[in-house]
């Protein structure tokens, strides 16, 4: 399969792809034979995968998506469901000429990729769930979820709010170790359209559907990665959830909630080994 060049482009090599969630910005990284389609967490963009894609550039071609209202994807300002996000990921694959690929993501991205694997397993060669919430319940959001949704609309321009998100998402050493991404994280959120950003955040955390009870229905090989120090989704709960996946593997790595940023080397090694096993099988 080949990745087609789209007629519409944005700066720095991104392509704009029409989807049910509006135009989404898509970047290509790497040049290897495997196709890996990744979607990031809320309040981040596709650049959380840059180091991972660089480490695996010879073995895979990465299709990196900015979620609506995040990064270079403008968003529509309308709320949506997890199933809608899954359809948007499939629309990206269709536009890029990819019939079947490894699909995955971090947190929101894992939920999105899981929707693809559940609804269209013939399109998912394998599933990568990184730091993915198992029990998000939009009908009963907690106080913390409501505060994140409120902050995305009214406080994201304030550095203290972004610093708080960073403390929850990344290990304490990230700003020094990855200065380029740390600066980008702040710039992306500070420059976001707050209404559209908040609509996406509300869609994920206030309209979410629990994944834990549906894990048994996954038929594709699944690698589940979690940060040992992830305070949002503790490793013990994630390990229990992984046992529900019929063809699943569980791997804790150092760091907090955004493992491709906190532990890109560990994630790359795990992903390389997992995909090598799939190829051998």
């Amino acid at each position: 399969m080949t990745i087609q060049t789209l007629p519409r482009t944005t700066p720095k090599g991104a392509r704009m792809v029409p989807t049910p969630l509006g135009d989404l910005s898509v970047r290509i990284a790497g040049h290897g034979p495997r196709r890996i389609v990744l979607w990031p967490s809320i309040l981040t963009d596709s650049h959380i995968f840059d180091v991972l894609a660089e480490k695996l550039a010879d073995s895979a071609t990465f299709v990196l998506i900015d979620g609506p209202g995040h990064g270079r994807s403008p968003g529509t300002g309308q709320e949506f469901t997890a199933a809608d996000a899954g359809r948007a990921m499939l629309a990206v694959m269709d536009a890029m000429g990819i019939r079947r690929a490894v699909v995955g993501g971090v947190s929101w991205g894992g939920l999105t990729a899981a929707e693809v694997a559940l609804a269209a397993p013939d399109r998912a060669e394998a599933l990568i769930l990184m730091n993915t919430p198992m029990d998000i319940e939009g009908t009963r959001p907690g106080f913390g979820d409501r505060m994140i949704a409120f902050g995305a609309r009214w406080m994201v321009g304030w550095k203290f709010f972004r610093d708080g998100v960073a403390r929850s998402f990344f290990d304490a050493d990230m700003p020094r170790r990855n200065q380029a991404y740390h600066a980008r994280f702040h710039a992306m959120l500070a420059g976001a359209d707050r209404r559209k950003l908040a609509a996406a955040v509300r869609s994920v955390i206030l309209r979410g559907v629990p994944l834990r009870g549906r894990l048994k229905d996954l038929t594709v090989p699944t690698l589940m990665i979690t940060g040992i120090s992830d305070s949002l989704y503790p490793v013990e709960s994630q390990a229990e959830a992984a046992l529900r996946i019929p063809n699943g593997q569980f791997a804790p790595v150092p760091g907090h909630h955004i493992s491709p940023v906190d532990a890109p080397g560990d994630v790359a090694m795990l992903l390389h080994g997992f995909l090598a096993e799939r190829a051998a099988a």
Side-chain angles (χ1 to χ4, degrees):
M1 297 179 183
T2 59
I3 293 182
Q4 300 173 344
T5 301
L6 301 180
R8 301 178 58 199
T9 61
T10 60
K12 299 187 178 180
R15 298 163 169 84
M16 297 303 293
V17 176
T19 79
L21 303 186
D23 286 355
L24 296 184
S25 176
V26 180
R27 297 184 300 122
I28 304 300
H31 49 267
R34 217 62 178 265
R35 299 292 188 252
I36 303 178
V37 183
L38 295 177
W39 187 297
S41 167
I42 61 169
L43 304 178
T44 72
D45 63 11
S46 62
H47 287 278
I48 63 173
F49 302 116
D50 283 355
V51 178
L52 175 64
E54 181 179 353
K55 289 181 177 295
L56 296 178
D58 292 336
S59 57
T61 298
F62 289 83
V63 179
L64 306 177
I65 304 169
D66 285 347
H70 292 68
R72 295 185 179 276
S73 294
T76 64
Q78 301 298 312
E79 295 186 21
F80 51 85
T81 66
D84 292 333
R87 285 189 282 270
M89 179 178 271
L90 286 170
V92 169
M93 291 172 62
D94 290 341
M96 307 303 274
I98 301 174
R99 171 62 191 164
R100 196 162 180 259
V102 177
V103 297
V106 171
S107 197
W108 173 24
L111 294 173
T112 299
E115 292 293 332
V116 171
L118 288 165
D122 59 314
R123 305 293 302 274
E125 178 183 350
L127 174 64
I128 312 298
L129 300 177
M130 292 180 270
N131 322 92
T132 300
M134 295 291 117
D135 303 303
I136 193 166
E137 177 55 87
T139 61
R140 296 192 301 271
F143 176 75
D145 292 333
R146 292 183 182 277
M147 284 305 298
I148 292 172
F150 177 83
R153 178 66 177 93
W154 302 108
M155 301 166 65
V156 75
W158 300 352
K159 187 175 182 298
F160 86 87
F161 174 81
R162 300 195 303 272
D163 284 339
V165 173
R167 284 192 295 271
S168 296
F169 277 15
F170 311 107
D171 66 37
D173 192 46
M174 190 277 282
R176 181 198 61 80
R177 179 171 39 80
N178 193 339
Q179 296 180 21
Y181 178 73
H182 181 250
R184 181 172 187 86
F185 168 79
H186 277 277
M188 189 275 291
L189 288 180
D193 181 312
R194 299 178 193 179
R195 181 180 66 86
K196 294 178 179 179
L197 176 74
V201 172
R202 287 196 306 272
S203 298
V204 177
I205 64 177
L206 302 184
R207 298 186 66 182
V209 178
L211 182 58
R212 190 181 298 265
R214 298 186 290 158
L215 293 173
K216 66 182 185 303
D217 299 322
L218 288 170
T219 59
V220 303
T222 301
L223 174 62
M224 188 170 167
I225 296 172
T226 194
I228 292 172
S229 303
D230 190 343
S231 60
L232 298 176
Y233 310 116
V235 65
E236 296 83 5
S237 178
Q238 297 294 91
E240 189 280 329
L243 294 174
R244 300 169 180 247
I245 303 173
N247 190 7
Q249 298 181 24
F250 178 72
V253 298
H256 287 66
H257 185 55
I258 309 293
S259 290
V261 173
D262 279 356
D266 297 84
V267 173
M269 182 176 65
L270 287 167
L271 186 52
H272 184 271
F274 177 72
L275 296 180
E277 291 177 11
R278 305 281 72 72

